[in-house]
Amino acid sequence: MKKKMLLLNTMVLLGLGRVLSTPAYASTIQDMESQKSQIQNQRQDVQSNIKAASDELTRLQAEQDQMKAQLERLTLAEEENNKKAQKTEADIKETSKQVDQLEKEIKLLQEKLEKRNDILKDRARSMQESGGNVEYLQVLLGSSSFGDFVDRALAVSTIVDADRGILKETKNMQDELKTKQADVKSKLASLEDMKAELDEMTVQLAAQKKQKDALAKELKDKEAKNEELKASLQSKDSSLANEQSTLEQNIKDQKAAEEAARKAAEQAAKEAAKKAAEQAQKAAAEPAEKADSPSPKAAPKASSNDVAPTSAPAPKASNVVTVGNRWIGNSAYVFGGGRSQSDINHGLFDCSSFVHWAYSQVGVNLGPLGSVSTETLKHAGTQVSSSQIQPGDLVFFDTYKKDGHVGIYVGGGKFIGAQSSTGVAIANMSSGYWKQKFNGRVVRI
């Protein structure tokens, strides 16, 4: 009988050993994991190329914006230049008219001067014939031109006052016309030079615009090609992502199937072992039954499948720095709020009730909720130096009174608390308002 039981137990152990051996699909999962790793590497390369394409698009767009701005400036310059050229051309026409008018006036004056010249010569001959100064006549008649004649006549001291008046008037008229003519001709020359310069500038601006238009088109073409490349890369990345997702699901399904098979094999082995033990027990009890001697009924053996119920793990005290994040952007500060379940359900806290609620979520009781305040909280734990501050410590601030505000330190110079302006929020106590209000009190719960 003992040999029979030993053989049976050996068979059960061998069967269980086969069930718990390496799964038959391990190599398949390994292949899929390897393929998944290759796809991830490909996606990294594609995403790197997408980023490069995006960066190039950003650069091209910035260059395009600069080009557009420059083209706008060139267009504006061309418009202003054309206006100035048109005005200059009008000024040239007007000045040309003035020159023509002066030419006519000069011609009339010359005719008048010639007549006066004849009159003065006749007067000089009359003076000689009536016994006048011969030298005076020779001086006048020896002039090479009318201007020279006038200058000589003015130089002769013996000329009569009437002649001197005529000569001076004539001389002034002549000088004035010459000055006007010189000024107008100078103005005309200047305007013509300006017109020539403006025409040249217009040609240059047109050439610049043409060049910029060509560059702008080139940039636009590059943008289009880059957009096409980016879209192609994104499509490839999406395709690879689908492949990766499919592989991950296949791996998950395969592992789940293997786990189910493993558990089924374990259960079958346990049932086989239990059956073998029952058979062995029955075989051992047969001699006693044959002898008609009662045997005590064995107490039922606890099954390996019976598992004692376990409670959910208690929350860690360290979680107190993050447990309140659910209220960020979803709460409001109410002075005296947070002391009823209704207030808590609606996220209505003041600073001390929020601290009380947060610690209660990690299993720490900070006293009766109805009477919690900054005053009770500063005595709720052990005061430590601010240089030893660590996440989870309570920090106090002197606001409307000493220790008028309290929060929970989260690290990095920041704390979470119910703030009067924002509701529950994380604030910086390393600078600005809260740095000024922090009084150095740190309490460790």
Side-chain angles (χ1 to χ4, degrees):
M1 181 60 63
K2 290 182 178 178
K3 289 182 179 180
K4 184 177 180 181
M5 289 177 64
L6 179 63
L7 179 61
L8 189 60
N9 288 334
T10 301
M11 291 174 65
V12 168
L13 291 174
L14 287 173
L16 182 61
R18 282 195 299 272
V19 168
L20 298 178
S21 63
T22 304
Y25 293 102
S27 60
T28 303
I29 291 178
Q30 186 176 5
D31 290 343
M32 286 190 289
E33 290 283 5
S34 176
Q35 189 176 355
K36 174 185 170 184
S37 178
Q38 292 175 4
I39 290 175
Q40 287 174 330
N41 291 335
Q42 290 179 33
R43 286 196 69 192
Q44 287 179 355
D45 292 340
V46 171
Q47 288 169 355
S48 176
N49 290 334
I50 290 174
K51 184 180 183 304
S54 296
D55 291 344
E56 178 64 9
L57 270 174
T58 301
R59 187 192 70 77
L60 288 172
Q61 287 166 356
E63 192 173 342
Q64 185 81 346
D65 290 341
Q66 291 179 352
M67 192 69 64
K68 288 178 181 177
Q70 180 62 14
L71 277 171
E72 288 175 1
R73 285 191 288 269
L74 288 173
T75 301
L76 181 61
E78 187 178 38
E79 290 173 355
E80 291 299 318
N81 183 70
N82 287 336
K83 290 178 184 177
K84 192 172 290 186
Q86 290 170 4
K87 185 178 182 305
T88 302
E89 190 169 354
D91 290 343
I92 288 173
K93 289 180 179 178
E94 182 61 30
T95 306
S96 297
K97 289 180 181 179
Q98 293 178 14
V99 170
D100 292 341
Q101 182 62 32
L102 283 173
E103 292 287 351
K104 292 177 181 178
E105 290 179 10
I106 289 172
K107 186 177 180 181
L108 290 173
L109 181 60
Q110 284 177 340
E111 292 175 356
K112 188 182 291 186
L113 288 174
E114 289 297 335
K115 291 179 180 179
R116 290 191 177 188
N117 185 26
D118 294 338
I119 291 171
L120 288 172
K121 285 182 178 181
D122 290 340
R123 290 172 66 87
R125 289 192 185 97
S126 297
M127 287 179 65
Q128 183 184 18
E129 290 172 357
S130 37
N133 191 330
V134 178
E135 291 181 359
Y136 169 68
L137 180 60
Q138 289 176 346
V139 168
L140 293 177
L141 297 179
S143 59
S144 59
S145 65
F146 179 71
D148 185 28
F149 173 84
V150 172
D151 291 337
R152 289 185 178 214
L154 290 172
V156 176
S157 60
T158 58
I159 193 168
V160 296
D161 291 339
D163 291 343
R164 185 181 294 276
I166 294 174
L167 289 170
K168 281 186 177 181
E169 182 184 357
T170 304
K171 176 67 173 177
N172 291 339
M173 290 174 63
Q174 186 183 40
D175 291 343
E176 184 180 354
L177 281 175
K178 285 183 177 179
T179 301
K180 283 185 178 180
Q181 188 179 37
D183 289 344
V184 172
K185 285 185 176 180
S186 175
K187 181 180 178 181
L188 182 61
S190 176
L191 288 170
E192 288 175 342
D193 289 343
M194 182 185 293
K195 180 64 168 55
E197 186 175 349
L198 288 169
D199 289 343
E200 178 63 25
M201 193 181 298
T202 300
V203 172
Q204 291 178 2
L205 286 170
Q208 288 183 45
K209 280 190 67 180
K210 186 176 180 180
Q211 183 182 12
K212 297 298 180 185
D213 284 336
L215 286 173
K217 184 178 182 304
E218 183 181 344
L219 285 172
K220 203 70 179 175
D221 292 343
K222 285 183 179 179
E223 280 186 17
K225 289 180 181 178
N226 224 49
E227 286 281 9
E228 185 178 348
L229 173 62
K230 183 179 176 181
S232 173
L233 289 169
Q234 287 174 332
S235 175
K236 184 175 181 181
D237 181 60
S238 177
S239 176
L240 288 170
N242 290 336
E243 289 185 38
Q244 181 179 337
S245 178
T246 301
L247 274 172
E248 288 172 348
Q249 186 60 46
N250 289 344
I251 291 170
K252 183 179 178 181
D253 293 344
Q254 188 65 48
K255 286 183 177 179
E258 291 179 6
E259 180 66 14
R262 186 186 68 78
K263 286 183 178 180
E266 283 184 356
Q267 185 64 28
K270 286 178 182 179
E271 290 176 357
K274 182 179 179 182
K275 187 174 181 180
E278 289 174 350
Q279 290 176 352
Q281 186 177 5
K282 183 177 180 182
E286 284 178 358
E289 290 175 358
K290 289 179 180 179
D292 294 326
S293 60
S295 60
K297 189 173 182 180
K301 189 175 181 181
S303 170
S304 61
N305 289 329
D306 296 334
V307 180
T310 59
S311 59
K316 297 180 180 179
S318 60
N319 292 342
V320 73
V321 299
T322 57
V323 73
N325 288 352
R326 58 170 288 196
W327 294 116
I328 294 176
N330 191 30
S331 60
Y333 181 94
V334 175
F335 193 87
R339 286 163 179 78
S340 69
Q341 193 58 47
S342 176
D343 281 357
I344 293 173
N345 291 342
H346 291 88
L348 305 178
F349 297 98
D350 64 9
C351 61
S352 53
S353 66
F354 171 74
V355 169
H356 187 284
W357 173 86
Y359 267 95
S360 71
Q361 300 304 296
V362 296
V364 178
N365 186 356
L366 296 181
L369 175 61
S371 59
V372 67
S373 67
T374 55
E375 194 65 25
T376 63
L377 290 176
K378 74 180 184 182
H379 299 295
T382 304
Q383 187 163 332
V384 299
S385 169
S386 60
S387 63
Q388 298 175 335
I389 193 170
Q390 63 186 30
D393 290 343
L394 304 187
V395 286
F396 291 80
F397 305 86
D398 293 342
T399 51
Y400 70 98
K401 67 173 186 176
K402 185 169 180 60
D403 298 318
H405 190 70
V406 64
I408 302 170
Y409 186 69
V410 299
K414 298 179 179 180
F415 76 100
I416 187 171
Q419 324 296 7
S420 60
S421 59
T422 59
V424 176
I426 295 175
N428 189 350
M429 56 185 287
S430 298
S431 62
Y433 176 81
W434 292 114
K435 181 180 180 180
Q436 296 173 5
K437 298 298 181 181
F438 178 53
N439 61 18
R441 187 187 298 279
V442 179
V443 173
R444 185 162 298 159
I445 303 301

